[in-house]
Amino acid sequence: MKGIASRDALVAYLDEFLGTAAWSDKSLNGLQVEGAERVRLVALATDTAQATIDMAIEAGAQMMVAHHGLFWGSVEPVTGPLRSRLASLLRADVSLYVSHLPLDAHAEVGNNAVLARLLELRDQEPFGAWGSGSIGVMGRLPERLDRAGLAARLEALLGARPEILPFGPDAIVRVAVVSGAAADLIPDAAAAGVDAFVTGETSHTAVHQARERRLNVLFAGHYATETLGVRALGDHLAERFGLETLFLDVPTGF
């Protein structure tokens, strides 16, 4: 039989476990919407969208944990889609807890730590400086791969075909990974001496940045690279608190 936890105990645990207060972030991390005091089912999602909120409510969740939340550091009028999302959560008494950069960077359940484990990277080091910490990981593949081989491995792991900027060596050993939208870290990846940089989504300027630095860059999907942390966090909460957890999968194609 699954357990029940108090909302406040879960929030306090997540704040401490994820190191929420240590991160300067445009996202308002932590509890964004207060719901039911007792939690039996936690629904986890990459995005706090109307679709995922509706799925959480239909499943009977008392709490949502998401990577991308509703509030991003500026005051917004509560109108349109934001009003609809908030109203849905409040009517159903569903809490919303959000973890953006803390979940990217976490050493156990972070998006990048999980992807590095799936790729079996060895001799791992922090990569992608942010404030006093790092959000990504770099290391060595267990065996040398060519570009197509690394792309195929990522597609098998994430379910999305990467786009490739093939400007580095065809033989790839050293890889850096940063989930989501991190094309601006291409210069850092080149300076670190990796053969390939894996991130989520591309940008117009990334082509020139990668070509001029002779670096392979693989864009494996913003959504696909950022399902890993919430899934792992759900497994952790299920084990730690005996709660029922559910991942809400709503791919965006990007």
Side-chain angles (χ1 to χ4, degrees):
M1 182 176 178
K2 295 293 184 179
I4 297 176
S6 79
R7 176 200 63 225
D8 293 345
L10 275 174
V11 169
Y13 179 79
L14 286 167
D15 283 346
E16 180 178 0
F17 178 67
L18 296 170
T20 299
W23 288 92
S24 175
D25 193 349
K26 61 183 179 181
S27 169
L28 176 61
N29 295 313
L31 185 66
Q32 290 194 353
V33 179
E34 184 179 273
E37 292 184 359
R38 307 292 285 172
V39 178
R40 176 186 56 81
L41 171 60
V42 179
L44 299 105
T46 300
D47 302 310
T48 308
Q50 193 65 53
T52 52
I53 292 169
D54 291 345
M55 291 167 69
I57 293 169
E58 184 177 355
Q62 293 78 43
M63 177 179 280
M64 275 187 68
V65 175
H67 185 51
H68 301 135
L70 296 179
F71 302 109
W72 293 88
S74 61
V75 177
E76 296 181 50
V78 182
T79 60
L82 178 58
R83 180 190 184 282
S84 177
R85 294 172 185 179
L86 271 173
S88 297
L89 290 166
L90 292 169
R91 278 196 303 266
D93 209 16
V94 175
S95 295
L96 173 64
Y97 187 97
V98 172
S99 186
H100 185 235
L101 288 183
L103 190 57
D104 283 324
H106 196 269
E108 180 183 342
V109 300
N111 288 315
N112 297 302
V114 176
L115 182 53
R117 286 200 299 272
L118 291 173
L119 288 170
E120 302 178 67
L121 295 186
R122 300 172 179 174
D123 304 322
Q124 291 185 21
E125 302 175 52
F127 171 77
W130 188 278
S132 60
S134 298
I135 56 175
V137 179
M138 64 181 178
R140 302 174 64 86
L141 293 167
E143 59 184 3
R144 183 175 300 171
L145 294 174
D146 59 17
R147 295 187 203 98
L150 179 55
R153 182 77 187 278
L154 288 166
E155 183 175 3
L157 292 171
L158 302 175
R161 184 185 297 274
E163 297 181 34
I164 307 173
L165 299 182
F167 299 127
D170 191 50
I172 296 171
V173 177
R174 287 180 50 78
V175 177
V177 298
V178 177
S179 64
D184 58 335
L185 291 176
I186 288 173
D188 300 70
V194 298
D195 305 311
F197 175 44
V198 177
T199 187
E201 67 179 72
T202 187
S203 70
H204 167 72
T205 59
V207 176
H208 300 297
Q209 294 280 9
R211 180 189 285 122
E212 292 168 14
R213 289 170 172 79
R214 297 181 175 84
L215 180 68
N216 295 305
V217 184
L218 290 87
F219 300 101
H222 194 136
Y223 179 84
T225 58
E226 295 196 331
T227 62
L228 302 174
V230 285
R231 287 181 185 270
L233 182 57
D235 291 341
H236 178 83
L237 291 176
E239 182 177 350
R240 175 70 174 76
F241 290 92
L243 296 169
E244 183 180 356
T245 61
L246 171 68
F247 175 66
L248 309 173
D249 193 14
V250 183
T252 63
F254 293 96

